[in-house]
Amino acid sequence: MPIVKVTCLDKYFGRLHVLKGLSLEVEQREVVCIIGRSGSGKSTLLRCINFLEEPSAGVIEVDGIKIQGGEKGQQRRHLIHDIRLKTGMVFQEFNLFPHMSVLGNVIEGPVTVKGMDHARAVELGEMNLDRVGMFFKKDEYPNRLSGGQKQRVAIARALTMEPRVMLFDEPTSALDPELIGEVLNVMKKLAQEGTTMLVVTHEMGFAREVADRVLVMADGELIEDAKPSDLFSSPKDPRTKALIDRYRTGEQ
Amino acid sequence: MNLFKKDAHAQKSQADLLYEAQQRKQLQFRIKVAMSWIGLLAFLLFLFSGLEIKSSMGKTTVSAWSFHMIVENGRDVRARTEKILFSWPYGLPNQGLDITTIVVDRAFINKNIDFIASGILQTIQISLYAILLATALALLAALGRLSTNPLIYSLSTFYVSLIRGTPLYLQIFFFFLALPQLGIILTGLWAGVLALGLNYGAYMSEIFRAGLSSVGKGQREAALALGMTPTQTMRRIVLPQALRFAIPPTGNEFIAMTKDSALVSATGFVHELMWRATKVGRAEFRNLEALIMAAIFYWIMTLVLTSMQSRLEASLSKGER
C-alpha cells in the first residue's frame, strides 16, 4: 500500500489553473524526486499534500488517512492534523523559530503537539540532531548558524516528529553553492536509512544518484515518471529533454 | 620571508591606526558633548541661583539674594534680602555691568520637597496600571486589526479611531465627571488609569500590529506543518516573536505615559507629582519653585527609565535575530 497517494488533484489560484488533475503514489521507503521548471507547480503539489495549500479538488491520502479536496468541516480539520503528524516538511527558507535554541526548535513539535514528556523529547531530539550532525550546536540560536546548518536543524526538527514521509520543498535553493553539499549528504543518508522521501528539487545530480523514481512536472501536469537511469539517458518528452539538457550544459 | 612578515605587519597597523583615529575622534566628541551638558546645567543652576553681579566705576560686587522673613509694619513678611559675598574696589567703566538672576525661595523648597517627592510613587503607580491595561488592549486591538472576521476588525478599528479622534484630557474628564451621571462612579485614580490605558492602548495597537506582521508567513507554516493548531502557533511561535519586537517601543510609551499621567491631576483627587506641585504652588504663590521641583522629578524619572529601557533593549537584541 502506498504511503502517499494523490488522485486527480486540482488546484486553482483564482483563475489560474496550477495543478491539472494530477495523480501520484509514493511507496514506503521510496525516494521520489520531483523536477521541473519554476512555476510548473512542484511546490504547490507538495504543499497540497500536507494542506498548507487547500486543494481545489481531488483526493489526498497519507498512510490511510483520506481527505477530499475543497470541502470544509470540523471532522476534516482533525484529519488534516493527522496528516500533518504523518508528514515532515522541510522548507526552502528553513523557517527555524528564531526565539528558540536549536534543541528548542527540535523538541517544540513533540512537546507542544504530541504532549511528549520533556526528557523523552530531548532524548529523541538529540538523537535526530546527531543524525544530521548538528548535535554540537544544540544550545546555539538559529541566527548563529550558517544556511546549511539551519537546514540540517530544520530536517532534524521534522524528523523528531517521527513522520511516515518527509516532504522536501527545494531544500537547497536558498543556500550558497558551497553549503548545498552538506544538506544533500544528510538527505542521502536519510535515504539510505530507508526514510520515505518526496523531494522537490533543482539538484539533478541528487535526483539521478539518490532517487528511486523521478517525476517531471510541466504546466501543472506530470509529464514523466521514470527511474532516474532511464529518464536521464532517454527522456521521452521534449520538455524533459530540454530540462535535462539545460542541467547538462550548466554542469559543464 | 622576512619581508613578507614586515609587510603584513605594516598593513595591519595601518588599519589599526585608522580605527584608532576614528575611536579617538568619537571619544573626543563624546567628551565635548558631556562637557557641554555640564556647562548647560551649570548655566541653568546659575540662572536660578539668586546671584547678582554688579560692576560700575570703582566698585564690583557679587551678592546673593534670598528670601527671608522680616518684620514690616508689625507683620511677618517674606522679602528679598541681599548679602554681599564679595566686593572689589575697581570696576568697569561707563554703564558698567549688572547681571541679575532669578531668586528662588529656598525655604519654600525645603518645606515642600518631601510633599512633592512623595507624588512620584503615585505617578509610577498610575503609569504602571495604565500601561498594563494599554498593553492588553493594544494586543487585542492588533489581533482584531489582523482578523478576517469583519465584526472583530470593525470593533478594533472603531475603538482606535474613536480614541485617537478625541483628546486625552477629555477622556480623563469623561471617565471622572461624565460617568457618574450614568451611575458609574470611579475614583480619580481609576478614572485616570482607565483613560490613559484606553488612550495608549489605541496608539500602541499599531506597535503590536507591526510586531505581529514582522513574524513571517514561513514561521506560521512551519508551525502548522509540525501539526500545531492555530492557537498553539499563535501562543508558541508568533506571540513570543511579536512581543520581543514590541517591547522597546512599549518602553517608550511607558516613559511618555509617566509624563501624560500629569493630566490626571486635573481630576483633583489623585495626589501625584503634578497635583502636589500645583497645590503647594498656588497656596503660597510659589508656582515657580513648585513647578521647577516637579519638572526636576519628572526629568529624573524619565532619565532613569530611559537608561533602564536602553539596557533592556540591548539585552533583547543580543540573543535572537
PDB file of all heavy atoms in Angstrom, chain B residues 18-37:
ATOM      1  N   LEU B  18      43.899  53.691  11.499  1.00  0.00           N
ATOM      2  CA  LEU B  18      42.655  54.303  11.052  1.00  0.00           C
ATOM      3  C   LEU B  18      41.562  54.116  12.084  1.00  0.00           C
ATOM      4  O   LEU B  18      40.849  55.048  12.449  1.00  0.00           O
ATOM      5  CB  LEU B  18      42.209  53.675   9.729  1.00  0.00           C
ATOM      6  CG  LEU B  18      42.779  54.319   8.471  1.00  0.00           C
ATOM      7  CD1 LEU B  18      42.449  53.483   7.265  1.00  0.00           C
ATOM      8  CD2 LEU B  18      42.216  55.732   8.330  1.00  0.00           C
ATOM      9  N   TYR B  19      41.479  52.878  12.580  1.00  0.00           N
ATOM     10  CA  TYR B  19      40.461  52.546  13.559  1.00  0.00           C
ATOM     11  C   TYR B  19      40.647  53.366  14.824  1.00  0.00           C
ATOM     12  O   TYR B  19      39.714  53.956  15.357  1.00  0.00           O
ATOM     13  CB  TYR B  19      40.533  51.051  13.867  1.00  0.00           C
ATOM     14  CG  TYR B  19      39.524  50.583  14.865  1.00  0.00           C
ATOM     15  CD1 TYR B  19      38.163  50.530  14.533  1.00  0.00           C
ATOM     16  CD2 TYR B  19      39.907  50.213  16.146  1.00  0.00           C
ATOM     17  CE1 TYR B  19      37.235  50.114  15.445  1.00  0.00           C
ATOM     18  CE2 TYR B  19      38.977  49.791  17.068  1.00  0.00           C
ATOM     19  CZ  TYR B  19      37.636  49.740  16.711  1.00  0.00           C
ATOM     20  OH  TYR B  19      36.710  49.328  17.623  1.00  0.00           O
ATOM     21  N   GLU B  20      41.921  53.424  15.258  1.00  0.00           N
ATOM     22  CA  GLU B  20      42.215  54.177  16.481  1.00  0.00           C
ATOM     23  C   GLU B  20      41.877  55.657  16.322  1.00  0.00           C
ATOM     24  O   GLU B  20      41.318  56.269  17.229  1.00  0.00           O
ATOM     25  CB  GLU B  20      43.698  54.013  16.850  1.00  0.00           C
ATOM     26  CG  GLU B  20      43.957  52.785  17.694  1.00  0.00           C
ATOM     27  CD  GLU B  20      45.437  52.499  17.793  1.00  0.00           C
ATOM     28  OE1 GLU B  20      46.253  53.423  17.589  1.00  0.00           O
ATOM     29  OE2 GLU B  20      45.781  51.325  18.064  1.00  0.00           O
ATOM     30  N   ALA B  21      42.228  56.199  15.168  1.00  0.00           N
ATOM     31  CA  ALA B  21      41.940  57.616  14.919  1.00  0.00           C
ATOM     32  C   ALA B  21      40.444  57.875  14.998  1.00  0.00           C
ATOM     33  O   ALA B  21      39.990  58.857  15.594  1.00  0.00           O
ATOM     34  CB  ALA B  21      42.474  58.014  13.548  1.00  0.00           C
ATOM     35  N   GLN B  22      39.681  56.920  14.429  1.00  0.00           N
ATOM     36  CA  GLN B  22      38.228  57.054  14.451  1.00  0.00           C
ATOM     37  C   GLN B  22      37.705  56.999  15.883  1.00  0.00           C
ATOM     38  O   GLN B  22      36.863  57.797  16.287  1.00  0.00           O
ATOM     39  CB  GLN B  22      37.637  55.923  13.628  1.00  0.00           C
ATOM     40  CG  GLN B  22      36.323  56.259  12.981  1.00  0.00           C
ATOM     41  CD  GLN B  22      35.832  55.127  12.126  1.00  0.00           C
ATOM     42  OE1 GLN B  22      36.457  54.063  12.061  1.00  0.00           O
ATOM     43  NE2 GLN B  22      34.721  55.311  11.476  1.00  0.00           N
ATOM     44  N   GLN B  23      38.269  56.044  16.645  1.00  0.00           N
ATOM     45  CA  GLN B  23      37.856  55.885  18.034  1.00  0.00           C
ATOM     46  C   GLN B  23      38.154  57.154  18.821  1.00  0.00           C
ATOM     47  O   GLN B  23      37.332  57.621  19.600  1.00  0.00           O
ATOM     48  CB  GLN B  23      38.597  54.705  18.693  1.00  0.00           C
ATOM     49  CG  GLN B  23      38.195  53.355  18.177  1.00  0.00           C
ATOM     50  CD  GLN B  23      36.779  52.984  18.603  1.00  0.00           C
ATOM     51  OE1 GLN B  23      35.820  53.306  17.906  1.00  0.00           O
ATOM     52  NE2 GLN B  23      36.628  52.350  19.732  1.00  0.00           N
ATOM     53  N   ARG B  24      39.373  57.678  18.570  1.00  0.00           N
ATOM     54  CA  ARG B  24      39.777  58.872  19.299  1.00  0.00           C
ATOM     55  C   ARG B  24      38.834  60.031  18.989  1.00  0.00           C
ATOM     56  O   ARG B  24      38.419  60.770  19.870  1.00  0.00           O
ATOM     57  CB  ARG B  24      41.215  59.239  18.919  1.00  0.00           C
ATOM     58  CG  ARG B  24      42.024  59.707  20.136  1.00  0.00           C
ATOM     59  CD  ARG B  24      43.484  59.957  19.766  1.00  0.00           C
ATOM     60  NE  ARG B  24      44.090  58.823  19.090  1.00  0.00           N
ATOM     61  CZ  ARG B  24      44.742  58.914  17.926  1.00  0.00           C
ATOM     62  NH1 ARG B  24      44.841  60.072  17.309  1.00  0.00           N
ATOM     63  NH2 ARG B  24      45.283  57.847  17.386  1.00  0.00           N
ATOM     64  N   LYS B  25      38.477  60.147  17.721  1.00  0.00           N
ATOM     65  CA  LYS B  25      37.574  61.207  17.291  1.00  0.00           C
ATOM     66  C   LYS B  25      36.221  61.081  18.008  1.00  0.00           C
ATOM     67  O   LYS B  25      35.666  62.057  18.497  1.00  0.00           O
ATOM     68  CB  LYS B  25      37.347  61.100  15.782  1.00  0.00           C
ATOM     69  CG  LYS B  25      37.577  62.395  15.035  1.00  0.00           C
ATOM     70  CD  LYS B  25      37.374  62.134  13.562  1.00  0.00           C
ATOM     71  CE  LYS B  25      37.589  63.346  12.704  1.00  0.00           C
ATOM     72  NZ  LYS B  25      37.464  63.017  11.284  1.00  0.00           N
ATOM     73  N   GLN B  26      35.732  59.841  18.046  1.00  0.00           N
ATOM     74  CA  GLN B  26      34.442  59.602  18.692  1.00  0.00           C
ATOM     75  C   GLN B  26      34.504  59.936  20.178  1.00  0.00           C
ATOM     76  O   GLN B  26      33.597  60.554  20.724  1.00  0.00           O
ATOM     77  CB  GLN B  26      34.054  58.132  18.529  1.00  0.00           C
ATOM     78  CG  GLN B  26      33.109  57.926  17.361  1.00  0.00           C
ATOM     79  CD  GLN B  26      32.766  56.471  17.160  1.00  0.00           C
ATOM     80  OE1 GLN B  26      32.932  55.652  18.067  1.00  0.00           O
ATOM     81  NE2 GLN B  26      32.303  56.132  15.983  1.00  0.00           N
ATOM     82  N   LEU B  27      35.606  59.530  20.806  1.00  0.00           N
ATOM     83  CA  LEU B  27      35.761  59.770  22.235  1.00  0.00           C
ATOM     84  C   LEU B  27      35.800  61.264  22.504  1.00  0.00           C
ATOM     85  O   LEU B  27      35.126  61.774  23.403  1.00  0.00           O
ATOM     86  CB  LEU B  27      37.039  59.094  22.741  1.00  0.00           C
ATOM     87  CG  LEU B  27      37.233  59.140  24.253  1.00  0.00           C
ATOM     88  CD1 LEU B  27      36.201  58.264  24.941  1.00  0.00           C
ATOM     89  CD2 LEU B  27      38.638  58.698  24.636  1.00  0.00           C
ATOM     90  N   GLN B  28      36.573  61.971  21.674  1.00  0.00           N
ATOM     91  CA  GLN B  28      36.671  63.422  21.843  1.00  0.00           C
ATOM     92  C   GLN B  28      35.301  64.073  21.711  1.00  0.00           C
ATOM     93  O   GLN B  28      34.941  64.938  22.501  1.00  0.00           O
ATOM     94  CB  GLN B  28      37.615  64.003  20.785  1.00  0.00           C
ATOM     95  CG  GLN B  28      39.064  63.951  21.227  1.00  0.00           C
ATOM     96  CD  GLN B  28      40.008  64.295  20.087  1.00  0.00           C
ATOM     97  OE1 GLN B  28      39.563  64.582  18.975  1.00  0.00           O
ATOM     98  NE2 GLN B  28      41.297  64.257  20.358  1.00  0.00           N
ATOM     99  N   PHE B  29      34.560  63.602  20.733  1.00  0.00           N
ATOM    100  CA  PHE B  29      33.219  64.150  20.525  1.00  0.00           C
ATOM    101  C   PHE B  29      32.364  63.930  21.767  1.00  0.00           C
ATOM    102  O   PHE B  29      31.695  64.836  22.257  1.00  0.00           O
ATOM    103  CB  PHE B  29      32.571  63.490  19.315  1.00  0.00           C
ATOM    104  CG  PHE B  29      31.178  63.979  19.035  1.00  0.00           C
ATOM    105  CD1 PHE B  29      30.956  65.229  18.477  1.00  0.00           C
ATOM    106  CD2 PHE B  29      30.073  63.188  19.355  1.00  0.00           C
ATOM    107  CE1 PHE B  29      29.678  65.676  18.219  1.00  0.00           C
ATOM    108  CE2 PHE B  29      28.799  63.632  19.112  1.00  0.00           C
ATOM    109  CZ  PHE B  29      28.600  64.881  18.540  1.00  0.00           C
ATOM    110  N   ARG B  30      32.448  62.708  22.290  1.00  0.00           N
ATOM    111  CA  ARG B  30      31.616  62.396  23.450  1.00  0.00           C
ATOM    112  C   ARG B  30      32.019  63.227  24.669  1.00  0.00           C
ATOM    113  O   ARG B  30      31.175  63.677  25.437  1.00  0.00           O
ATOM    114  CB  ARG B  30      31.712  60.892  23.765  1.00  0.00           C
ATOM    115  CG  ARG B  30      30.390  60.179  23.475  1.00  0.00           C
ATOM    116  CD  ARG B  30      30.486  58.712  23.749  1.00  0.00           C
ATOM    117  NE  ARG B  30      31.040  57.998  22.620  1.00  0.00           N
ATOM    118  CZ  ARG B  30      31.759  56.887  22.701  1.00  0.00           C
ATOM    119  NH1 ARG B  30      32.050  56.372  23.885  1.00  0.00           N
ATOM    120  NH2 ARG B  30      32.197  56.300  21.624  1.00  0.00           N
ATOM    121  N   ILE B  31      33.329  63.434  24.819  1.00  0.00           N
ATOM    122  CA  ILE B  31      33.789  64.245  25.949  1.00  0.00           C
ATOM    123  C   ILE B  31      33.276  65.670  25.805  1.00  0.00           C
ATOM    124  O   ILE B  31      32.782  66.276  26.767  1.00  0.00           O
ATOM    125  CB  ILE B  31      35.333  64.223  26.019  1.00  0.00           C
ATOM    126  CG1 ILE B  31      35.811  62.841  26.479  1.00  0.00           C
ATOM    127  CG2 ILE B  31      35.840  65.301  26.972  1.00  0.00           C
ATOM    128  CD1 ILE B  31      37.302  62.653  26.355  1.00  0.00           C
ATOM    129  N   LYS B  32      33.332  66.190  24.568  1.00  0.00           N
ATOM    130  CA  LYS B  32      32.866  67.561  24.345  1.00  0.00           C
ATOM    131  C   LYS B  32      31.364  67.676  24.633  1.00  0.00           C
ATOM    132  O   LYS B  32      30.911  68.662  25.216  1.00  0.00           O
ATOM    133  CB  LYS B  32      33.149  67.990  22.902  1.00  0.00           C
ATOM    134  CG  LYS B  32      34.601  68.411  22.715  1.00  0.00           C
ATOM    135  CD  LYS B  32      34.895  68.693  21.263  1.00  0.00           C
ATOM    136  CE  LYS B  32      36.388  68.886  21.055  1.00  0.00           C
ATOM    137  NZ  LYS B  32      36.754  68.725  19.640  1.00  0.00           N
ATOM    138  N   VAL B  33      30.610  66.645  24.217  1.00  0.00           N
ATOM    139  CA  VAL B  33      29.169  66.654  24.479  1.00  0.00           C
ATOM    140  C   VAL B  33      28.912  66.656  25.975  1.00  0.00           C
ATOM    141  O   VAL B  33      28.099  67.431  26.486  1.00  0.00           O
ATOM    142  CB  VAL B  33      28.483  65.449  23.803  1.00  0.00           C
ATOM    143  CG1 VAL B  33      27.062  65.289  24.319  1.00  0.00           C
ATOM    144  CG2 VAL B  33      28.482  65.613  22.293  1.00  0.00           C
ATOM    145  N   ALA B  34      29.646  65.804  26.701  1.00  0.00           N
ATOM    146  CA  ALA B  34      29.445  65.717  28.154  1.00  0.00           C
ATOM    147  C   ALA B  34      29.767  67.065  28.801  1.00  0.00           C
ATOM    148  O   ALA B  34      29.029  67.541  29.674  1.00  0.00           O
ATOM    149  CB  ALA B  34      30.322  64.620  28.736  1.00  0.00           C
ATOM    150  N   MET B  35      30.848  67.695  28.338  1.00  0.00           N
ATOM    151  CA  MET B  35      31.227  68.976  28.921  1.00  0.00           C
ATOM    152  C   MET B  35      30.185  70.047  28.616  1.00  0.00           C
ATOM    153  O   MET B  35      29.862  70.875  29.466  1.00  0.00           O
ATOM    154  CB  MET B  35      32.614  69.395  28.422  1.00  0.00           C
ATOM    155  CG  MET B  35      33.703  68.805  29.302  1.00  0.00           C
ATOM    156  SD  MET B  35      35.344  68.706  28.557  1.00  0.00           S
ATOM    157  CE  MET B  35      35.503  70.242  27.720  1.00  0.00           C
ATOM    158  N   SER B  36      29.645  70.012  27.400  1.00  0.00           N
ATOM    159  CA  SER B  36      28.602  70.975  27.044  1.00  0.00           C
ATOM    160  C   SER B  36      27.370  70.788  27.919  1.00  0.00           C
ATOM    161  O   SER B  36      26.755  71.751  28.369  1.00  0.00           O
ATOM    162  CB  SER B  36      28.211  70.813  25.577  1.00  0.00           C
ATOM    163  OG  SER B  36      29.345  70.885  24.769  1.00  0.00           O
ATOM    164  N   TRP B  37      27.042  69.531  28.174  1.00  0.00           N
ATOM    165  CA  TRP B  37      25.902  69.256  29.054  1.00  0.00           C
ATOM    166  C   TRP B  37      26.148  69.846  30.431  1.00  0.00           C
ATOM    167  O   TRP B  37      25.266  70.507  30.995  1.00  0.00           O
ATOM    168  CB  TRP B  37      25.695  67.738  29.192  1.00  0.00           C
ATOM    169  CG  TRP B  37      24.662  67.199  28.269  1.00  0.00           C
ATOM    170  CD1 TRP B  37      24.774  67.074  26.920  1.00  0.00           C
ATOM    171  CD2 TRP B  37      23.364  66.720  28.624  1.00  0.00           C
ATOM    172  NE1 TRP B  37      23.624  66.537  26.413  1.00  0.00           N
ATOM    173  CE2 TRP B  37      22.742  66.298  27.430  1.00  0.00           C
ATOM    174  CE3 TRP B  37      22.671  66.582  29.822  1.00  0.00           C
ATOM    175  CZ2 TRP B  37      21.457  65.779  27.399  1.00  0.00           C
ATOM    176  CZ3 TRP B  37      21.400  66.061  29.811  1.00  0.00           C
ATOM    177  CH2 TRP B  37      20.804  65.677  28.598  1.00  0.00           C
TER     178      TRP B  37
END
